[in-house]
Amino acid sequence: MRPLYIDGSPGCRVVLDDPALRVVVPDKADQLFPLSRISRVVCNGVVDWSMSALLACADAGVHLIFLEKNGEVRARWLGRGSSRQSLTQRLVDLLARADGLQRYENWYLSMEKLAARSFARRMGIKDWREVSINDLQRQLTLSLSDEGRYKANLLLGLLHSELLNWLPECGFSHDDDALLSGELDLAQDLSKLLLWDCYPSLLTGSEGNDTKALGAVALLFEQRTDRFYLLFRSTISKLHQFLLSVC
């Protein structure tokens, strides 16, 4: 989906040519823009709209912004929400682009840096703002006991299962390939981000058998569920902002 920009000129008007918008400008060839490919419409200056075109945009969830000639916002026409405006659809739209997966990976790396640096700060690591993720991961590999790694894997599984319940609340559908596909496993990615918040506890945990470890992990997960959810919603908010900026 892409924004549609219309520069107002004498006689410029927009009518519905279902399933598209037809932009009519005197002495120029008409242009058709399928509603399914429009994220929003920005009109600069005076543009005449037919009521059927306005209602079609509302039904499709396409927002309209009317600007003065000087660029100030004059009015807005807010379409109702639709499935293609959901986070799922925006993520699907991003991944459909040639550079979409790389853009998502860049966003994820920036989120991983935030999570890792928060861990480094809590652990009192010198120069925690500059420490690299690779260095932190190497330190974790050396510092975590076998039981610590076992607990980390258990926590990752618990987080993954919980995120599959939380994601639909934020606009991601259970049955959409954006949640789990060959290119992307969003629940798994977010689980890895949240796991950074648990590493301080895992590094200070006591040794025990597998049964005790499982009980300790379940207790840790239960105690931190509210915090996990707050971190999850914060990350989803950042993902939403990212998708709005690129889709």
Side-chain angles (χ1 to χ4, degrees):
M1 292 188 295
R2 293 290 186 273
L4 170 59
Y5 297 96
I6 303 175
D7 285 323
S9 59
C12 179
R13 58 193 177 95
V14 179
V15 298
L16 179 63
D17 191 343
D18 199 24
L21 296 178
R22 180 182 292 273
V23 178
V24 181
V25 179
D27 301 324
K28 292 185 179 181
D30 293 357
Q31 293 181 288
L32 288 174
F33 299 93
L35 283 163
S36 61
R37 298 181 182 178
I38 300 173
S39 60
R40 63 185 181 277
V41 182
V42 180
C43 298
N44 186 27
V46 177
V47 179
D48 292 329
W49 280 75
S50 71
M51 182 57 68
S52 59
L54 288 172
L55 293 176
C57 287
D59 291 339
V62 176
H63 300 340
L64 276 61
I65 301 175
F66 298 92
L67 304 178
E68 300 279 11
K69 281 295 186 181
N70 61 6
E72 294 182 359
V73 175
R74 183 178 187 181
R76 299 177 187 270
W77 177 268
L78 302 180
R80 68 186 182 186
S82 67
S83 60
R84 72 188 188 84
Q85 294 289 342
S86 69
L87 284 176
T88 301
Q89 187 58 51
R90 289 188 182 277
L91 183 54
V92 170
D93 290 342
L94 175 64
L95 294 177
R97 295 168 49 171
D99 63 343
L101 185 59
Q102 183 61 53
R103 282 177 174 265
Y104 169 81
E105 290 174 348
N106 290 340
W107 172 83
Y108 178 81
L109 180 60
S110 68
M111 293 298 100
E112 189 177 31
K113 286 179 179 178
L114 289 176
R117 287 171 181 172
S118 176
F119 158 76
R121 177 180 56 79
R122 290 168 60 195
M123 295 299 295
I125 296 176
K126 185 180 179 181
D127 299 327
W128 57 269
R129 290 186 178 87
E130 287 75 33
V131 66
S132 72
I133 294 177
N134 289 337
D135 287 343
L136 288 175
Q137 288 174 334
R138 280 193 291 268
Q139 291 180 32
L140 283 171
T141 299
L142 295 174
S143 302
L144 279 175
S145 64
D146 290 341
E147 186 197 4
R149 285 186 286 272
Y150 173 67
K151 288 181 176 179
N153 289 333
L154 287 176
L155 272 170
L156 195 62
L158 290 175
L159 285 166
H160 187 272
S161 63
E162 194 70 15
L163 284 168
L164 291 176
N165 293 323
W166 288 346
L167 283 168
E169 299 177 8
C170 301
F172 290 97
S173 306
H174 273 300
D175 57 352
D176 199 288
D177 289 340
L179 282 178
L180 180 59
S181 68
E183 291 184 319
L184 171 68
D185 186 338
L186 184 59
Q188 184 73 5
D189 285 350
L190 298 183
S191 299
K192 292 177 181 177
L193 293 180
L194 294 181
L195 188 61
W196 281 99
D197 194 62
C198 301
Y199 281 132
S201 298
L202 295 175
L203 288 169
T204 58
S206 59
E207 297 293 332
N209 58 39
D210 288 354
T211 302
K212 290 183 178 179
L214 179 58
V217 168
L219 179 60
L220 176 62
F221 184 83
E222 182 179 346
Q223 291 172 338
R224 301 181 74 84
T225 297
D226 289 344
R227 177 171 172 80
F228 288 148
Y229 187 72
L230 290 175
L231 292 173
F232 161 74
R233 290 307 298 252
S234 175
T235 305
I236 286 295
S237 177
K238 292 181 176 66
L239 176 59
H240 192 187
Q241 294 170 11
F242 163 70
L243 291 174
L244 287 173
S245 70
V246 297
C247 296

